[in-house]
Amino acid sequence: MRVSSINLYQSSLNGVLNSQQQVEKMNQHLITNKKLLTAADGPSDMSKTMFLSTEITLTEQHLKNGTLLENALNFEETTLDGMMTAIQRARVLGVQSGDGINGETERASLAQELRQIQDQMFDFMNSQNADGSYIFSGFQTQKKPYVYDGQNYNYQGDVGVNELKVSSSVYIQSNDTGQEIFDNVFKRFVTNDLTANITTTISDQKAYDSFHKLNYDPINPANNQFLVQTNAGAPDTYEILDNGGASLVPPVVGDYTSGELINFNGIDVVVTGAAGGPPEEFELAPPVKDNILNMLGDFITALEDNTIPEGEFVAAQNDFLIGVDNAMERVNLTLGSLGARGNSLESVRNSASAMDIINQKSRASVSEVDFAEAVSNLQKAELALNTSYSSYSRISQLSLFNYL
């Protein structure tokens, strides 16, 4: 076959250009540290690389969320620890106020310290994080959660709870609302006297609380009423009945003497008057919730009131101490929840970090350059290029004039 000089030149030139492209490609592999410069270099590997890159990016974001969550949980825990210390001190002062040796001066001093504790708690309940957001106001992070209207402290946040995504399928709560921690606190369970000749007082709060929780009917208030029916005879007797006049199970009966105590599930019931009259009535009072600030305020008022009868002061003290115990229980429950969330976060982060390392290795094995192989390939490409140069040089000299 006869080959023209132009064809020889063109073929030789193409060989040089192809070799140059190969050298350039090998150089790019080394410079970018990428095995796959375009999808054409390996469609399947490129797809795997993109998937792994997406997973790695998501994991990085989840780990950042985990750091934010950890900071939020730590800040809230520190705040609640301070809150708990203040409540415990308030409880000590509440118990101390019941000493019979306390006079007006001592009670005024106790009230002053309790007021300082109240201010301290108010600050804790309105805590702000580093970016100025209120941590206990739910979604209303720019609104102060607790305000004082001149008589009571009121919550003005909402019930919003944020969650942060710390893995592909795990969300962890990052905040607690003041309403749930500080306002969702039961005041002392009490009774209401519904007729004139009956007086009820709680003598065993624990027993009464248990009875109240088991028997209080929020749907039908009539079911919370009880009758004390006295019957004349020798001796006189009494029986405690339900609101329909039926005997309780088991029956609550005994001998009746006007003014004597009848104990009923932690309640001291006193009925006065001759036996045989109409039944006297009392009821389980509806449970009431309030925050610790208002409970402190009520007790401070009782402490500073020098005219308050001893019985009312004792009732106020009992209200306060039980309210404080219930408040501490709410704070403790929240601290326990924070600890559980922290443990979950740590577990998820450890798993995410391990998966991130695996994904990084997998992506590197698929998409990154093996330097030894890449250098060897570059050397081969350079050798081919030099050969192309040499061939071109010889072809360019294929003329009879060069041999004459």
Side-chain angles (χ1 to χ4, degrees):
M1 181 178 70
R2 297 179 63 186
V3 180
S4 67
S5 297
I6 292 176
N7 286 340
L8 283 173
Y9 277 111
Q10 188 62 48
S11 176
S12 180
L13 179 61
N14 289 341
V16 170
L17 293 175
N18 288 336
S19 296
Q20 286 178 334
Q21 288 178 350
Q22 285 300 314
V23 171
E24 174 62 18
K25 188 174 182 179
M26 294 303 109
N27 266 324
Q28 286 298 320
H29 282 307
L30 286 170
I31 292 170
T32 62
N33 191 30
K34 291 182 179 178
K35 184 190 297 183
L36 305 172
L37 297 176
T38 66
D41 292 335
S44 176
D45 287 346
M46 182 61 82
S47 176
K48 291 178 183 175
T49 300
M50 293 178 67
F51 172 77
L52 291 170
S53 295
T54 302
E55 288 296 307
I56 289 168
T57 302
L58 288 175
T59 301
E60 289 174 352
Q61 185 58 54
H62 293 154
L63 290 173
K64 288 180 182 176
N65 288 351
T67 301
L68 293 175
L69 177 61
E70 182 181 31
N71 292 338
L73 296 181
N74 288 340
F75 187 84
E76 184 177 338
E77 183 178 357
T78 301
T79 303
L80 292 182
D81 281 340
M83 189 79 184
M84 179 62 78
T85 301
I87 297 175
Q88 288 171 338
R89 177 59 184 165
R91 194 185 194 289
V92 169
L93 296 177
V95 173
Q96 186 179 343
S97 68
D99 292 344
I101 60 174
N102 288 324
E104 293 183 12
T105 303
E106 289 78 9
R107 285 172 57 162
S109 177
L110 291 170
Q112 184 177 7
E113 184 172 351
L114 284 173
R115 198 177 295 282
Q116 291 172 347
I117 292 174
Q118 187 185 41
D119 292 340
Q120 186 181 357
M121 289 183 182
F122 185 59
D123 284 341
F124 280 129
M125 293 158 72
N126 285 324
S127 293
Q128 295 172 274
N129 60 21
D131 64 6
S133 299
Y134 292 99
I135 66 172
F136 294 121
S137 58
F139 292 149
Q140 308 295 320
T141 55
Q142 299 306 310
K143 182 182 287 188
K144 198 173 185 178
Y146 282 91
V147 294
Y148 183 60
D149 64 6
Q151 292 184 329
N152 292 302
Y153 292 89
N154 300 305
Y155 180 68
Q156 60 173 7
D158 58 27
V159 296
V161 174
N162 294 309
E163 292 182 330
L164 283 176
K165 190 175 184 180
V166 293
S167 79
S168 58
S169 59
V170 177
Y171 293 81
I172 296 181
Q173 182 178 331
S174 63
N175 71 309
D176 297 277
T177 67
Q179 185 177 45
E180 181 61 25
I181 305 173
F182 308 121
D183 271 51
N184 190 23
V185 176
F186 281 113
K187 299 179 75 172
R188 184 167 70 101
F189 291 164
V190 295
T191 56
N192 289 329
D193 300 331
L194 302 180
T195 54
N197 297 321
I198 189 170
T199 302
T200 56
T201 55
I202 310 301
S203 58
D204 185 341
Q205 192 68 46
K206 187 175 180 180
Y208 177 65
D209 288 352
S210 177
F211 178 73
H212 191 286
K213 290 175 182 175
L214 290 174
N215 293 278
Y216 183 79
D217 186 347
I219 306 299
N220 187 359
N223 290 335
N224 302 314
Q225 297 173 358
F226 294 87
L227 311 177
V228 182
Q229 178 66 63
T230 58
N231 301 299
D236 296 337
T237 60
Y238 73 86
E239 181 174 10
I240 297 179
L241 309 169
D242 66 18
N243 67 307
S247 298
L248 302 179
V249 180
V252 181
V253 297
D255 294 341
Y256 169 71
T257 301
S258 176
E260 284 197 354
L261 295 178
I262 301 171
N263 188 267
F264 174 67
N265 291 301
I267 310 169
D268 280 346
V269 181
V270 176
V271 176
T272 56
E280 303 294 334
E281 298 181 40
F282 69 95
E283 69 172 0
L284 311 182
V288 178
K289 293 180 178 178
D290 205 347
N291 62 60
I292 185 64
L293 296 177
N294 290 331
M295 295 179 189
L296 266 167
D298 292 342
F299 187 52
I300 290 170
T301 299
L303 274 173
E304 293 176 337
D305 185 357
N306 297 319
T307 64
I308 188 172
E310 182 64 21
E312 291 185 19
F313 178 75
V314 171
Q317 185 190 30
N318 289 335
D319 289 344
F320 174 66
L321 292 177
I322 289 172
V324 164
D325 288 343
N326 292 338
M328 282 196 292
E329 183 180 0
R330 292 301 312 166
V331 174
N332 266 329
L333 284 172
T334 306
L335 284 169
S337 174
L338 289 174
R341 279 178 264 166
N343 289 338
S344 296
L345 172 62
E346 188 63 25
S347 175
V348 170
R349 284 206 303 190
N350 289 339
S351 176
S353 297
M355 287 303 299
D356 187 52
I357 293 173
I358 293 172
N359 286 335
Q360 296 270 13
K361 287 183 177 179
S362 298
R363 186 177 66 175
S365 67
V366 173
S367 66
E368 293 183 4
V369 165
D370 181 337
F371 276 94
E373 182 182 0
V375 169
S376 174
N377 289 337
L378 176 61
Q379 289 174 340
K380 287 192 288 185
E382 288 175 341
L383 179 60
L385 178 61
N386 290 332
T387 303
S388 296
Y389 282 150
S390 177
S391 297
Y392 182 83
S393 176
R394 291 192 175 189
I395 289 171
S396 66
Q397 297 175 6
L398 289 179
S399 171
L400 290 175
F401 293 103
N402 293 327
Y403 298 96
L404 291 177

